[in-house]
Amino acid sequence: MLFFQEKKKKKRKGNREGEKEPKATIVPLPLPLKILALRTMQMAAKGWIDGDESAAKMLGRVATERPFLLLPPLHRVPLRVGNVVELVGPSASAKTHILIQAAVNCILPKEWNGVHYGGLERLVMFIDLDCRFDILRLSEILKHQITEPNGSMYYDEELYALCMRRFLYVRCYDSLEFLATLKTLHYRLQKEKEVHHVGIQLLMIDSIGPFHWVDRGSTFFPLGGNKRKCLSLQSVFDAVVQDIKKLLLVHPMLVMATKEIILGNAYGGDEVKQNKSLLDASGLRNLASNTQQLPYREYMPSVWQSFVTHKILVRASDDHMPIRHYEEHSVYLSEWLLPSISFRDKFTVKDAGIVIVT
């Protein structure tokens, strides 16, 4: 504890030589803020022990924290709030479609006017860093999911508007806008929760690495001033991970992020084809067991890699599923790399969404 000394002044007629000076009085300073914060936490803990949480709040909290299954191809592993799922794959491998499918399932209600939809009835925050999100595609899949249980050609406009309001969208054009969004996201989510009377379930980032080379090149350009930290790839993702962790403490949710990978980054064209044929022949499981044989080169900082709890590899297959004699759908492969699962799923993307190919 810090102290300061205050000398007592006394009226004296005169000081003799060798007379001792009056003793200083030790006065304690006010308590530091950390001690005050600790006392506040103790009072909050005492209030929780006293049982100020209602049964409805307790059931809602437990229902939010329990594991849940998403639609294919994310159905192999139960997920819970606080997990960070990374969808990795080359360009045009249906990563964004997987996010859209999960978002539609989240914003749909469990039941509406006696019709069962099986949705989570929660909010979704979609942060578009790739700046290529197709909102019409989301609307198309949502309308199909609304009309399918009824067997009708017309969709419920009131339900459609309600679900679209639960889908929160933000577009960022650089890392500074992304950081500013994360730092102000708590206030927006709190406001949306008060408006919709439901909390957030999914935080989606599409994609996590579009500004990689810009941030990496910005290392050599200081922001000005010796005391300011330089903008770099490492500092950006240090702040990103810390901000998301703070958000998860206040708003428990599942984080899903896509990442475009570079196939054959260190190989020539012929070797890329050779590695691709090897991948098809031996399967993804054997390649995933050895990091040196992965079909892509990891380029994200280690702070982000350690933050990810689940990882799925998605890629296009050489197979095609015929629809008509002049039209066919592309078939995609997905496999869990973290945790490692030997089973691979085949799926295709139709107008109604993602369909598993058996």
Side-chain angles (χ1 to χ4, degrees):
M1 183 177 293
L2 299 177
F3 300 89
F4 70 92
Q5 293 182 344
E6 181 183 2
K7 293 183 178 180
K8 289 185 177 179
K9 296 182 180 180
K10 295 183 178 179
K11 293 183 179 180
R12 293 176 178 267
K13 294 182 178 180
N15 291 333
R16 299 178 180 177
E17 185 177 356
E19 186 179 1
K20 295 183 179 180
E21 293 290 334
K23 294 183 179 180
T25 303
I26 300 177
V27 180
L29 285 174
L31 290 175
L33 293 178
K34 290 185 178 180
I35 299 180
L36 294 177
L38 180 60
R39 289 186 176 179
T40 304
M41 293 174 61
Q42 291 175 349
M43 293 176 62
K46 185 178 182 302
W48 179 81
I49 295 175
D50 291 341
D52 59 347
E53 184 183 27
S54 64
K57 291 182 179 180
M58 186 272 293
L59 292 176
R61 176 173 54 82
V62 173
T64 302
E65 296 175 354
R66 64 187 301 182
F68 56 92
L69 293 174
L70 294 176
L71 296 179
L74 305 175
H75 61 297
R76 296 295 176 184
V77 176
L79 302 171
R80 63 172 68 243
V81 294
N83 292 150
V84 181
V85 183
E86 188 180 60
L87 298 170
V88 300
S91 180
S93 56
K95 299 185 298 295
T96 305
H97 275 93
I98 296 176
L99 294 185
I100 293 177
Q101 184 96 342
V104 169
N105 181 59
C106 185
I107 61 180
L108 278 171
K110 297 180 180 178
E111 188 175 347
W112 178 268
N113 292 337
V115 180
H116 180 73
Y117 292 96
L120 299 178
E121 203 169 344
R122 303 295 294 274
L123 299 177
V124 174
M125 170 57 69
F126 193 100
I127 302 179
D128 185 12
L129 304 184
D130 209 23
C131 301
R132 294 187 297 177
F133 180 72
D134 187 4
I135 192 66
L136 295 179
R137 180 59 179 155
L138 171 71
S139 175
E140 181 183 6
I141 295 179
L142 178 59
K143 290 179 181 179
H144 186 276
Q145 295 295 329
I146 293 176
T147 57
E148 185 178 15
N150 291 330
S152 174
M153 297 179 59
Y154 303 97
Y155 64 94
D156 191 329
E157 295 184 0
E158 183 182 357
L159 176 58
Y160 172 80
L162 177 63
C163 293
M164 290 299 291
R165 285 194 295 267
R166 291 174 182 160
F167 184 81
L168 312 177
Y169 177 82
V170 177
R171 175 176 290 184
C172 303
Y173 294 94
D174 54 48
S175 294
L176 294 180
E177 288 189 5
F178 182 37
L179 289 174
T181 300
L182 292 177
K183 291 185 180 298
T184 58
L185 197 57
H186 163 66
Y187 303 100
R188 179 175 180 181
L189 294 180
Q190 191 68 27
K191 183 179 179 181
E192 296 290 346
K193 183 178 180 180
E194 295 174 358
V195 172
H196 298 280
H197 304 289
V198 292
I200 185 171
Q201 184 75 18
L202 297 178
L203 172 63
M204 298 182 169
I205 305 174
D206 187 27
S207 63
I208 193 60
F211 314 128
H212 171 82
W213 295 108
V214 177
D215 295 336
R216 188 172 179 178
S218 301
T219 307
F220 305 100
F221 299 96
L223 296 178
N226 297 328
K227 296 182 179 180
R228 298 190 65 181
K229 185 181 293 185
C230 295
L231 179 66
S232 64
L233 183 67
Q234 184 67 33
S235 63
V236 167
F237 275 92
D238 284 342
V240 167
V241 171
Q242 290 300 322
D243 289 340
I244 295 179
K245 286 181 178 180
K246 293 177 182 178
L247 280 173
L248 293 178
L249 293 176
V250 184
H251 304 279
M253 53 188 169
L254 173 67
V255 181
M256 299 180 65
T258 63
K259 182 177 69 178
E260 185 173 344
I261 60 175
I262 304 172
L263 286 174
N265 187 49
Y267 307 101
D270 294 335
E271 290 177 320
V272 169
K273 295 180 180 179
Q274 182 179 358
N275 280 275
K276 185 176 180 181
S277 61
L278 176 63
L279 181 66
D280 293 334
S282 59
L284 294 176
R285 181 174 61 87
N286 295 331
L287 292 177
S289 61
N290 190 346
T291 56
Q292 296 180 353
Q293 296 179 353
L294 284 175
Y296 67 93
R297 180 178 178 180
E298 184 61 68
Y299 59 90
M300 296 296 291
S302 58
V303 63
W304 172 260
Q305 296 181 38
S306 60
F307 184 50
V308 173
T309 60
H310 297 73
K311 184 176 295 188
I312 308 173
L313 178 61
V314 185
R315 69 180 183 93
S317 174
D318 295 332
D319 300 333
H320 294 82
M321 190 175 69
I323 307 173
R324 304 178 184 90
H325 65 279
Y326 59 89
E327 187 179 358
E328 57 185 12
H329 279 307
S330 298
V331 177
Y332 303 92
L333 296 175
S334 66
E335 181 178 356
W336 288 83
L337 300 182
L338 184 67
S340 179
I341 299 179
S342 60
F343 190 83
R344 290 181 296 173
D345 286 308
K346 286 187 176 183
F347 65 93
T348 184
V349 179
K350 296 184 179 181
D351 295 338
I354 295 177
V355 179
I356 292 292
V357 178
T358 57

